Amino acid sequence: MFSLNDIEKACFEAAEELCSVAKAKAGDIFVVGCSSSEITGGKIGTASSPETAEAVIRGLMRALEPRGIYLAAQCCEHLNRAIIVERAAVPGAYCVNVVPQPKAGGSFATAAYKHFKDPVALESIAADLGLDIGGTLIGMHLKPVAVPVRLSVKNVGEAILLAARTRPKFIGGCRAVYDEDLL
């Protein structure tokens, strides 16, 4: 059994490591899909845990806030995997009207909505990097060229942890020269 402190620590360490590997910078968007059910050893969507979700939020925000990186919380499929994010992260974006709940949006998105100063919901986003905690399928919310990142943290509680960063598309063919800092 994992404690809430263990879960918070794993999320903090995973976010720190991914930000470092991805060379994340202030203003970047970090998308997270999270199944609190999977973290606690259940099947996705069957055992939503607000307390677990709060621990995940605490760990992530401890890593992201000092860097000026925005968290984008993916809702569950009952809200078509909508995104909850700070309004400041998406100026001028077209927002939708929904407030996530533990059984309609998921405990993680609900916790993010409560934690954010000025939360808004979006149908989609193009994030720079992200974590998938428990097989939540965040790929639809990443920029077009996602690159898997292998982290030292492999699980959050019982949930598998996958990570990705993005990079610009390569164009120009064999004669092109690329900026190594963008790889």
Side-chain angles (χ1 to χ4, degrees):
M1 188 68 182
F2 295 89
S3 73
L4 294 177
N5 286 337
D6 293 336
I7 292 163
E8 181 178 339
K9 181 177 185 260
C11 291
F12 170 76
E13 289 175 356
E16 281 276 297
E17 185 177 354
L18 181 56
C19 285
S20 177
V21 169
K23 300 175 187 165
K25 58 192 177 314
D28 280 354
I29 296 178
F30 190 117
V31 67
V32 175
C34 173
S35 170
S36 61
S37 300
E38 291 278 336
I39 291 172
T40 59
K43 181 181 169 197
I44 194 167
T46 63
S48 196
S49 171
E51 299 79 19
T52 299
E54 289 289 340
V56 171
I57 290 288
R58 284 192 306 272
L60 294 172
M61 295 311 292
R62 198 160 44 102
L64 301 179
E65 281 180 332
R67 295 172 181 262
I69 296 170
Y70 292 104
L71 174 64
Q74 178 179 276
C75 295
C76 73
E77 75 275 8
H78 295 102
L79 295 184
N80 298 321
R81 302 203 192 290
I83 292 290
I84 305 301
V85 67
E86 288 282 8
R87 184 182 308 273
V90 290
Y94 182 78
C95 300
V96 295
N97 187 0
V98 70
V99 177
Q101 304 298 306
K103 296 290 185 181
S107 288
F108 176 68
T110 302
Y113 193 92
K114 290 177 183 174
H115 177 84
F116 292 161
K117 294 173 189 72
D118 188 13
V120 294
L122 307 174
E123 286 188 292
S124 64
I125 201 162
D128 302 286
L129 64 166
L131 294 174
D132 181 322
I133 305 170
T136 58
L137 305 176
I138 64 168
M140 67 188 284
H141 293 302
L142 290 168
K143 289 179 178 174
V145 183
V147 178
V149 176
R150 302 287 179 241
L151 300 176
S152 59
V153 178
K154 306 290 184 204
N155 296 79
V156 175
E158 295 291 324
I160 59 168
L161 177 66
L162 300 175
R165 64 176 181 85
T166 62
R167 66 159 175 76
K169 293 179 181 181
F170 293 147
I171 63 168
C174 63
R175 293 184 187 177
V177 175
Y178 301 109
D179 182 341
E180 293 294 320
D181 290 336
L182 297 177
L183 302 180

